[in-house]
Amino acid sequence: MTSAFTGTGAFTFGLDETSIPFLALFAVVWLLSGLYTAITTPAADRPRLFAYYVPSAVGGIGVAAASDAVSFYLCFALMALPAWGLITHTRSAESRRAGAIYLTLTVVGEALLLAALVLLVVETGTTSLPGYRDAIAGLPSAALITTLVLATIALKIGMLPLSGILSLTYTYTPTGPAAALAGASTKVGALAMLRLLPAGGMPPGWADAVMVLGLTTAFGAAVLGVLTDHPRAVLGYSSASQMGLVLIAAGAGLSDTNAATLAYGAVVTYALHHGLAKAALVLGDDVVQRLSGRRARSVALAALALPALALVGAPLTSGFVAKYALKDAVHAVGGDISAAVYVGLSWAAVGTAALMLRFFALTLQPRETTPGNARGAALVWGLLLMLVATATWMWPSDWNQHAISSAFSLSSLWAALWPGLIALGVWGVIARIVPGGTRYRAVVEPGDLLTMVARGASRWAARADRPRPVAAGRSEARSSSLAEPLLGAERGYLRWTIAATTFVLVALALAWLALG
Amino acid sequence: MSTYLIYAVGGALIFSIGTYALLAQRHIMHKVIGANIMGSGIFMVLIALGKRTPDGVTDPVPQAMVLTGIVVTVALTALGLSIAKRYYTLTGLDDLDQDPPACDGR
Amino acid sequence: MMIWLPVLLPAIAALSTFLLGERRPRARNTLNLIAAAASVGTVVVLVIRAYGGEVAVGAIPMMSDLDLGVHSDLTGLLFSTVATVLWMITLVYAIGYMEHAADQARFFGFFALCIAAANGVALATDPVSLFVFYEILTLTTYPLVVHSGTPEALAAGRKYLLYALTGGTLLLLGNAWLYALAGPTPFTPGGALAGVETHTTALRAIFFLMAAGFGVKAAIMPLHGWLPGAMVAPAPVSSLLHAVAVVKAGVFGIIRLINELYGPALASSLGVAQVLAAFAAASIIVASVIALRQDDLKKRLAYSTVAQLSYITLGVALCSPLAAAGALAHLAHHAFMKITMFFTAGSLAETLHVKKLSEMGGVARRMPVTMGSFAVAAFALAGIPPLAGFASKWLLGSGSVEAGASWALIVYVAAGALAMGYMVPILLAAMRPGDHGAPEGVESDPRMLWPIVIVAAMSIVLGLTAGLPGSPVHWALTAVAPAFGGVTP
Amino acid sequence: MSLGAQLPALLVLAPLAASALTFIAGRNVDRYVALGCAVVNTALAVALAARVLDVGAWRYEVGGWGAPLGIDLVADGPAALFVLLVAVVGLAVTVFATAYFHRDDPNAYGNGHFWTLWMFMWTSLNGLCLTGDAFNVYVCLELVGISAVGLAALKGDARALRAGARYLFANMLAAMTYLLGVALLYSATANLDMAMLRVVLAEGGPGESGAAVGIALMVAALVLKTALVPAHFWLPSAHSAAPTPVSAALSALVVKGTYFALLRIVLGMTPPGFVPGLNVLLGVLGAVAIIWGSIQALLQTRIKQFVAYSTVAQIGYLFIVFPLAGAGADVMSLALGGVLLHAATHGLAKSGLFMAAGSLMDRFGTDDLNRMRGAARTAPVLTMTVALAGVTMMGLPPSGGFGSKFQLATASISTGQWWWAVALGLGGLLAAAYMFRVLAIMLSGPADALAPADAAIRLEWLPLGLALAALFFVFAAPLVNELAAIGPLLASGAVTP
């Protein structure tokens, strides 16, 4: 198929080192979430839900497989825009607002991405996607392109101060689609990091700045998340926090070519790990609610601990490997800031652990759930859990070998454990001294800042377009205050003596002119 | 002071008097008469002009002009008088600057 | 002779329509449709010949050494094709829309005259000929704007004339000055002012006079004031004239002005193109933001038109081959996208008496096909691939980079986001629950429905085929190449 | 001498004979005599124009005397154009009048006298256009004036008589001023032939200031006759009080005839700069006329007054040529072509506009513009006529008004006097304002009641035809420009005896 624009290429899709892991991740997540959605959604709602789900899934698969700029942009949009229908599926006022906010940010993100892609295509002279990351640093607009791409990614992954977007979308979307969003949608941000951010070659300041941004997001989102009181909202902030860590990895690769290789592996591993684990958490929360038997609930809760621990980076989990890879990358950058970030990484795990504790506390509270096939749902969830446990270890690649091989040293085990222990301790203290224990009320509503801005914006828009009265029949009744004096002047002039005298004066003036 | 100049200055004086009458007199008849006086002033100048030739032979052209001018003035006067009479019959007015009592729309 | 047909055929249709009066509506409609079809056929033949390098020229002596001239170059034919094709489609729509309206002969007559004038604008060979048709267009539009005869319509008409005729006067002065300076200046790709480039001050002044003249119809802010008000006109008028013929005549004038009168090189070395670009960029953003707040559907579309027209203006003013091609392509694409929306607005107003977003609840269920078509056009306008709007926006963006004006690229993508911002609420409003007292799925009159579906489909087709010869994108790339030294980008 | 060379004389004699015949003929015949004469006259005018284009300008010595003693007629391009304009509009007015003045209507005012006066006016207009003698201009002016006053007062009611009287006094004032001017000019130069005078004046010599004052007074008189602001005071009442065909003829032709005499005297007879400041003053007054006339037209509520003030404004355009005098030949040919084009196109459009306005007035039974709502629906042809004539008034393409405005603007800018171009542009905008104000009323609903069409209305296609001719008149511009170049006005084809 000929491409839709300048005739310089075609819509092309293909597999390469980067696309394979993401394609696998997205396929699994969209498929299992889809299955889960099919099982848990009432038949009457299914057509409407899948009308949005399927295009989004197609876009998701396509964005991983795209190997030219325009296909990438097209699939990026195709995945993101229909998700609006998933978010607003319940048609509640909150979900509508969440949908509107989501759509706004998505559209802005699309615009930024388009700008970046146009710059890339024109300045590199090719639409081929895989070559961009090596070429960017040498382009005239390298800084602009990188900024645009970073902004696109920031919107996608919920970088501070936009972290609320993920909690908003997770909270109001039905469970199945929410798992897809959690597992796949944000990971498109990670994909964009690998495709469109320069692999080394930028001035060192870039790496430092982006790593600081990532670390800020990791901490900030964790704080916000702990202060909310819906399990999905917590997961949303957790995603933002985790993607902040991924951003650190991406940042690490911006300036230094060696670090870029390590960062590349870290991003892939982290995306893979986090995508599966977060999807499992979203589904797990719902499965726990659906199970009625006490024993089944206990088993489910125990199983839910697996992805939670993985997120915290507990030893032997996928998160452990991912975090190890991340630390390697940051370490490779060198410099004061990277050293500080390196330290911060361990402390970020404290935040993650706190979020998981808050999540469990909220999940344990009984909630209203839709009736449905609990067994089928649990089965799908079980499949996903198995992948969470094994995927990172089984992935045949070289970039996580180092992490895997060092996984069993004592020092690394300790490094992985202590943040969790600190969080647990603090949690115990809070449970004792805060009224209402660990089930305190929310301080932050889902979407935090974004929700407030959206309220203001809708008030502004509502003031618009007040009808103004049209001056009726102005053509007939000339209300002009000038009209009467002008008409009067002419009437007065038209009197014979005045007019004729004026003429005589004109004639005399002419004669006077003639005399020189 | 040559004869021509006397005639010319006199003519100009008469012309001015006529002009004043045409401009300032309100009565229609006065205006018509004023215009005639203006004409007379010019005719005086023209007649004198015919005599002012280098060789002393009377120039026929100004005389022809005067004759033509008299004819034209007569015609204009006649038209003016007939309009004045008709206007007075219709409205009872002898002054153009006063609005006639009934000015119909057409 | 054939070169005159795109102007003459609609004019003849108009004349016969006036002569028939209100007596025989069926004969009148048939006649108009035949004329439209014949015009389309003529234009197609001309296009095929022009692609083959054969440019027909026609000229009638007008003043001393100035002719009223038309020629079939590719640039002009693109506009002409869009105008005639959409005239035919709009005729069908209008016949359905105006079925029970008064003064139909006046309406259809002036409608056809407008197309004749627009074709003249498109094909004119020199600035004076263009001005002649441009002013005829102004005049023939007026009766359509005030068609209903209501005080609102008359007020809008007054405003339209105030703007358009003032612009026309500036254009006249610019033309007179240019003629005094350089004599006849037939449009030449790359510039027609060789030999007088040294008169920089005069040339700058002439440029701004002319740009202001065209800018009124092109609705460059702050000259846009007439456009939202003119939306009181019947829907087919808003559709064809205020989305296609009239406003495009303005931007087309700017295209000719920069590419073929001054030439991109001179326009940018004089610094005038940059000033125009700044105005256009500001218009894009400001108009888009204003559009966000309109509750009246047609007004929202009008402000969107203001923004989209400035896309084109900005594209030309960047003086790069890709951007100029993008501008020309967008001229065509926007016509199809925006006409879909105005058709829809007309259908809603005529069938459901819905004119505001706040009244649109339930509309999507009542008229799913109509609103579906609207959605396609809306997404196309916002530049979602692979729809038509994306193709032209891609070119415009690439051209911005090519011209070294990354800021323009940012303006374009920001405008795309804003376009989503003002289009999506319309879709959301239509999807809200609401009752329109009729069974779901009952659409409007088929003569109004099918044109909507066809033009919406064109938004898809034009996008998908954008790389093929004969598509507006390919066409535009070919057409603007000579203005940049013949290099096909 | 070939028959073609006699054309100037025939053009004066034919309507004169018709005038006498209509006076003798009865009510049943007079209109046909006039109609026949109009046709013959048109044919003669076409022949004149064709011959001028063919052989160039020539002089016709009346009675074989020859200048300076005798009176010469000059058949040059501009004169041929004006004679042709008088003929075409005159023919239309004649046809319109046959329907307007009912043969059987006992109340039809001035029945019978119209034809005599009208033919007489035609005679004097042709004479005015063709004469090459400064004093003969005076005679023709007065003949035009007398017949025009008679026609303006034809209705015989108080309003018409009052307007007629004012018109008459204005004519008297102008006549006397002109005569004084001619006397002074003759006293200084002992010559009356304009072509000879140009040579004499250009050489300079004794009595120069006397000649200059004479010319100034002649110009002043013609300004009054042409109704240039501030000497327009007689025009609105005279043109609006007259019967419709007369209004059309007065507005379209009479002011054009006197203007043509002015053109001859200022451009053809007087060397540029001979009367310092004269030309600039005329241009300034022209610009003032454009603005002031348009503003007044915008404010009028009576339709014929409205049209009359539009004439006041349009006359202003014709004076923009004077300040450009003395510029190079190519610029002057643009400017002169421009004003001739304007005179012709305005003559066509204004006669159509007056006929349409009069018909609208008769059908609505009122002359109040605000009570003509909905005319676009109930009287579409008349409304269309007003609209198309309006396009000419605004000077928008493709009307001749556009051509004239473009040529004048170009010429102004070429001479560096760009401000005249601005005045032209402003005038176009103001014209649009006053025309569209009226059209908006006609397009608005609901419609006011109007009377069914009578005999005059059956001729509503005639004014439409005139307006259409004006609408496409820019395409006649090449012909007009060619005619403008033939003759002494541009000094390119000076015809000296």
Side-chain angles (χ1 to χ4, degrees), chain A residues 43-327:
Chain A
D45 283 355
R46 269 180 225 153
R48 197 156 57 84
L49 198 53
F50 277 98
Y52 292 105
Y53 190 89
V54 173
S56 196
V58 169
I61 306 291
V63 79
S67 56
D68 72 284
V70 178
S71 306
F72 185 79
Y73 177 71
L74 168 62
C75 295
F76 197 87
L78 186 58
M79 186 196 70
L81 292 177
W84 168 82
L86 304 174
I87 296 164
T88 59
H89 181 75
T90 61
R91 298 191 162 177
S92 64
E94 291 87 357
S95 74
R96 280 182 185 282
R97 192 193 299 133
I101 295 170
Y102 170 80
L103 208 52
T104 308
L105 294 191
T106 303
V107 165
V108 173
E110 296 284 335
L112 295 166
L113 178 64
L114 180 62
L117 287 176
V118 169
L119 281 163
L120 279 168
V121 170
V122 175
E123 295 199 347
T124 61
T126 168
T127 58
S128 169
L129 199 57
Y132 286 155
R133 61 191 307 262
D134 294 321
I136 294 172
L139 296 180
S141 308
L144 180 58
I145 295 171
T146 310
T147 312
L148 289 168
V149 173
L150 279 171
T152 314
I153 292 168
L155 289 162
K156 208 75 203 167
I157 66 173
M159 197 175 84
L160 275 184
L162 307 170
S163 309
I165 183 63
L166 298 182
S167 67
L168 265 180
T169 52
Y170 293 9
T171 305
Y172 300 111
T173 313
T175 308
L181 292 181
S185 194
T186 44
K187 304 308 165 287
V188 174
L191 180 61
M193 294 175 195
L194 298 185
R195 290 291 197 200
L196 302 175
L197 281 181
M202 301 296 286
W206 281 92
D208 294 345
V210 173
M211 285 195 292
V212 168
L213 275 176
L215 195 64
T216 319
T217 304
F219 279 109
V223 171
L224 287 167
V226 171
L227 297 177
T228 53
D229 68 351
H230 189 288
R232 293 263 193 80
V234 175
L235 291 182
Y237 281 112
S238 156
S239 280
S241 168
Q242 295 290 305
M243 294 311 288
L245 297 179
V246 181
L247 190 59
I248 294 175
L254 280 179
S255 307
D256 187 288
T257 320
N258 283 333
T261 316
L262 289 169
Y264 184 90
V267 172
V268 173
T269 319
Y270 220 109
L272 209 54
H273 136 74
H274 180 251
L276 292 169
K278 193 47 69 56
L281 282 170
V282 172
L283 292 185
D285 168 56
D286 191 55
V287 168
V288 169
Q289 301 301 323
R290 284 173 191 281
L291 292 173
S292 44
R294 205 183 151 77
R295 240 182 77 195
R297 270 179 79 95
S298 308
V299 172
L301 276 171
L304 193 56
L306 173 68
L309 285 172
L311 276 197
V312 182
L316 302 180
T317 61
S318 58
F320 177 77
V321 181
K323 198 156 279 179
Y324 203 94
L326 176 59
K327 285 182 176 173

Side-chain angles (χ1 to χ4, degrees), chain D residues 57-445:
Chain D
W58 77 93
R59 294 175 73 96
Y60 176 82
E61 297 171 349
V62 179
W65 288 94
L69 191 61
I71 294 166
D72 283 3
L73 298 183
V74 175
D76 59 3
L81 180 71
F82 272 85
V83 168
L84 193 57
L85 171 71
V86 171
V88 170
V89 175
L91 181 61
V93 166
T94 312
V95 172
F96 190 82
T98 55
Y100 188 87
F101 296 108
H102 297 261
R103 196 187 330 179
D104 318 322
D105 184 357
N107 296 324
Y109 26 78
N111 219 334
H113 297 311
F114 168 79
W115 302 105
T116 306
L117 285 169
W118 167 226
M119 285 298 121
F120 193 66
M121 188 160 97
W122 197 327
T123 309
S124 36
L125 277 171
N126 277 353
L128 189 55
C129 294
L130 289 166
T131 187
D133 182 280
F135 187 74
N136 200 21
V137 167
Y138 164 74
V139 177
C140 293
L141 271 180
E142 292 327 299
L143 297 185
V144 170
I146 289 171
S147 48
V149 170
L151 284 169
L154 199 60
K155 280 186 181 174
D157 59 15
R159 184 170 163 221
L161 287 171
R162 189 177 180 216
R166 287 172 63 94
Y167 192 11
L168 179 69
F169 289 135
N171 266 318
M172 284 175 160
L173 195 53
M176 296 312 160
T177 313
Y178 190 92
L179 194 57
L180 184 59
V182 168
L184 290 175
L185 182 65
Y186 186 79
S187 78
T189 60
N191 206 326
L192 288 171
D193 185 82
M194 292 200 246
M196 291 178 171
L197 276 169
R198 178 167 186 114
V199 179
V200 171
L201 294 174
E203 284 165 355
E208 195 178 270
S209 65
V213 172
I215 290 171
L217 290 177
M218 288 158 76
V219 168
L222 287 166
V223 160
L224 176 55
K225 287 247 173 186
T226 314
L228 178 67
V229 168
H232 67 291
F233 52 88
W234 54 271
L235 186 143
S237 57
H239 284 196
S240 60
T244 299
V246 175
S247 302
L250 291 180
S251 235
L253 302 180
V254 172
V255 287
K256 300 297 168 1
T258 55
Y259 170 74
F260 184 63
L262 189 61
L263 207 55
R264 275 254 160 103
I265 286 171
V266 178
L267 290 186
M269 185 184 92
T270 315
F274 186 77
V275 183
L278 172 73
N279 291 13
V280 174
L281 183 67
L282 288 178
V284 170
L285 291 181
V288 173
I290 294 174
I291 310 294
W292 185 250
S294 301
I295 290 174
Q296 290 299 324
L298 187 60
L299 299 174
Q300 298 303 314
T301 51
R302 295 167 152 206
I303 189 164
K304 274 195 168 181
Q305 289 267 357
F306 153 77
V307 182
Y309 270 108
S310 129
T311 301
V312 171
Q314 298 286 321
I315 286 169
Y317 288 98
L318 298 172
F319 285 78
I320 303 294
V321 68
F322 296 119
L324 308 179
D330 47 342
V331 173
M332 270 320 281
S333 77
L334 265 182
L336 185 64
V339 286
L340 294 186
L341 193 57
H342 189 271
T345 196
H346 175 255
L348 292 169
K350 190 46 68 68
S351 54
L353 184 57
F354 249 127
M355 289 179 196
S359 302
L360 280 168
M361 197 171 98
D362 291 345
R363 291 193 64 187
F364 278 101
T366 173
D367 63 353
D368 187 350
L369 272 171
N370 288 326
R371 287 162 66 188
M372 296 187 177
R373 282 182 308 241
R377 189 176 302 165
T378 48
V381 178
L382 292 175
T383 308
M384 193 62 137
T385 308
V386 175
L388 296 184
V391 173
T392 306
M393 300 296 139
M394 297 172 222
L396 292 181
S399 73
F402 156 68
S404 68
K405 212 151 71 165
F406 187 85
Q407 293 198 359
L408 278 172
T410 309
S412 316
I413 295 170
S414 294
T415 55
Q417 306 178 41
W418 50 267
W419 45 88
W420 305 120
V422 174
L424 293 169
L426 207 57
L429 281 180
L430 285 167
Y434 66 67
M435 284 314 305
F436 275 106
R437 169 180 157 256
V438 171
L439 285 172
I441 295 170
M442 294 179 170
L443 282 164
S444 68

Side-chain angles (χ1 to χ4, degrees), chain A residues 486 490 493-494 496 499 503 510, chain D residues 166 220 230 232 278 292 296 309:
Chain A
L486 285 169
E490 177 75 1
Y493 174 72
L494 285 186
W496 169 260
F503 163 74
L510 282 170
Chain D
R166 287 172 63 94
H232 67 291
L278 172 73
W292 185 250
Q296 290 299 324
Y309 270 108

Side-chain angles (χ1 to χ4, degrees), chain B:
Chain B
M1 192 183 263
S2 72
T3 324
Y4 171 69
L5 210 58
I6 295 172
Y7 268 84
V9 171
L13 207 66
I14 293 173
F15 183 85
S16 310
I17 293 169
T19 310
Y20 172 78
L22 182 57
L23 298 193
Q25 290 292 325
R26 300 174 70 90
H27 199 288
I28 302 181
M29 293 291 287
H30 289 187
K31 285 193 165 83
V32 175
I33 293 167
N36 273 288
I37 293 174
M38 285 170 82
S40 306
I42 304 166
F43 299 151
M44 272 181 70
V45 177
L46 278 170
I47 287 168
L49 205 59
K51 195 73 181 156
R52 206 177 62 121
T53 45
D55 49 6
V57 180
T58 306
D59 182 356
V61 174
Q63 299 189 355
M65 285 163 71
V66 170
L67 275 176
T68 318
I70 289 171
V71 173
V72 167
T73 313
V74 167
L76 284 172
T77 308
L79 188 57
L81 291 180
S82 70
I83 287 179
K85 179 168 173 281
R86 184 78 186 272
Y87 187 66
Y88 182 74
T89 317
L90 277 177
T91 63
L93 294 175
D94 53 15
D95 174 11
L96 290 178
D97 281 343
Q98 277 177 38
D99 283 326
C103 227
D104 67 345
R106 262 171 82 103

Side-chain angles (χ1 to χ4, degrees), chain C residues 88-485:
Chain C
M88 192 159 90
I89 297 174
T90 309
L91 262 181
V92 178
Y93 182 87
I95 290 168
Y97 185 92
M98 301 292 291
E99 189 158 23
H100 306 293
D103 307 321
Q104 289 194 40
R106 195 207 302 167
F107 177 85
F108 284 103
F110 280 108
F111 205 72
L113 275 183
C114 280
I115 299 301
N119 276 335
V121 169
L123 302 177
T125 44
D126 59 285
V128 176
S129 302
L130 197 155
F131 171 76
V132 169
F133 290 115
Y134 190 81
E135 289 292 73
I136 297 176
L137 187 59
T138 303
L139 292 171
T140 48
T141 315
Y142 174 75
L144 297 172
V145 173
V146 302
H147 187 77
S148 65
T150 58
E152 291 85 5
L154 291 172
R158 198 158 46 230
K159 202 166 184 185
Y160 169 63
L161 285 175
L162 177 67
Y163 277 86
L165 291 175
T166 308
T169 304
L170 298 179
L171 196 53
L172 173 73
L173 293 180
N175 264 316
W177 196 345
L178 183 67
Y179 182 73
L181 186 71
T185 46
F187 292 130
T188 315
L193 299 181
V196 292
E197 294 101 331
T198 45
H199 298 84
T200 48
T201 314
L203 284 181
R204 282 197 190 102
I206 294 169
F207 183 92
F208 289 126
L209 282 172
M210 290 190 156
F214 292 128
V216 167
K217 281 213 180 65
I220 300 173
M221 286 188 163
L223 308 174
H224 69 291
W226 61 276
L227 185 57
M231 292 298 150
V232 298
V237 175
S238 312
S239 309
L240 184 58
L241 303 180
H242 296 140
V244 186
V246 172
V247 291
K248 293 296 158 56
V251 285
F252 185 80
I254 291 175
I255 292 177
R256 289 277 203 214
L257 175 65
I258 293 183
N259 280 355
E260 302 188 14
L261 184 58
Y262 276 67
L266 182 59
S268 76
S269 72
L270 285 175
V272 288
Q274 288 84 332
V275 176
L276 186 62
F279 272 95
S283 304
I284 293 178
I285 300 299
V286 176
S288 299
V289 171
I290 294 176
L292 289 176
R293 297 182 54 176
Q294 303 298 317
D295 187 37
D296 187 292
L297 180 55
K298 273 176 123 181
K299 282 209 171 141
R300 192 175 271 246
L301 297 181
Y303 277 106
S304 152
T305 301
V306 173
Q308 297 285 325
L309 291 170
S310 284
Y311 272 45
I312 303 173
T313 307
L314 177 56
V316 190
L318 288 173
C319 297
S320 98
L322 278 180
L328 197 54
H330 198 66
L331 186 149
H333 287 166
H334 174 251
F336 283 93
M337 303 182 296
K338 196 44 79 52
I339 205 168
T340 314
M341 300 182 184
F342 275 115
F343 279 172
T344 308
S347 287
L348 294 184
E350 183 71 6
T351 313
L352 303 179
H353 306 291
V354 167
K355 288 179 176 162
K356 292 174 182 295
L357 264 71
S358 47
E359 305 161 349
M360 277 180 70
V363 165
R365 286 172 169 259
R366 168 70 201 273
M367 295 186 166
V369 179
T370 306
M371 286 315 295
S373 306
F374 183 92
V376 168
F379 285 125
L381 193 81
I384 304 291
L387 304 173
F390 174 73
S392 40
K393 210 162 84 177
W394 181 272
L395 270 181
L396 286 167
S398 307
S400 312
V401 180
E402 186 185 58
S406 304
W407 60 269
L409 171 66
I410 305 297
V411 168
Y412 278 126
V413 297
L418 286 167
M420 281 295 272
Y422 56 71
M423 282 301 160
V424 168
I426 302 176
L427 301 174
L428 296 186
M431 288 164 73
R432 274 201 307 266
D435 183 25
H436 285 286
E440 292 185 358
V442 175
E443 304 272 348
S444 41
D445 186 309
R447 283 171 299 184
M448 291 161 73
L449 179 63
W450 281 104
I452 298 182
V453 175
I454 291 170
V455 285
M458 287 301 285
S459 300
I460 304 174
V461 172
L462 291 181
L464 287 178
T465 61
L468 301 178
S471 72
V473 168
H474 188 273
W475 189 337
L477 284 166
T478 320
V480 301
F484 296 89

